[in-house]
Amino acid sequence: MTTPINTISKCNKYLRESYTVAMYVDFYKEMRVRAESPEEAAELAENRIRARQTSLYSSGYSLGDVEVLDVKETDQ
């Protein structure tokens, strides 16, 4: 049995203060890209991620560093 995760303060809501918490949140994403070379594939993938930031911004995220970990050729 897992312990429930505490997401709300146990304190009376009228006694709570407001805080802004800044944090780094890393996530992993794989993307299939058609390109002429591995270098171009990495560049195109990063450009696509940066071009699609609208949903991240609307959720309160700001895209920082994009680090390409690996580029593998696929069958398709």
Side-chain angles (χ1 to χ4, degrees), residues 18-44:
S18 293
Y19 300 92
T20 299
V21 179
M23 65 184 88
Y24 284 103
V25 179
D26 292 332
F27 64 91
Y28 175 81
K29 178 167 180 72
E30 285 189 4
M31 169 183 295
R32 188 169 289 200
V33 178
R34 295 182 58 90
E36 186 176 1
S37 67
E39 294 79 16
E40 183 186 37
E43 181 181 344
L44 291 173

Side-chain angles (χ1 to χ4, degrees), residues 3-72:
T3 305
I5 298 173
N6 184 16
T7 58
I8 299 175
S9 176
K10 294 176 184 174
C11 178
N12 183 309
K13 70 179 180 178
Y14 300 108
L15 300 175
R16 296 177 196 162
E17 298 293 334
S18 293
Y19 300 92
T20 299
V21 179
M23 65 184 88
Y24 284 103
V25 179
D26 292 332
F27 64 91
Y28 175 81
K29 178 167 180 72
E30 285 189 4
M31 169 183 295
R32 188 169 289 200
V33 178
R34 295 182 58 90
E36 186 176 1
S37 67
E39 294 79 16
E40 183 186 37
E43 181 181 344
L44 291 173
E46 181 175 347
N47 290 344
R48 289 177 187 178
I49 289 294
R50 293 195 179 281
R52 299 176 184 156
Q53 291 188 56
T54 306
S55 61
L56 288 173
Y57 284 136
S58 65
S59 298
Y61 291 91
S62 176
L63 185 63
D65 294 338
V66 175
E67 180 181 349
V68 176
L69 301 175
D70 190 25
V71 180
K72 296 179 185 176

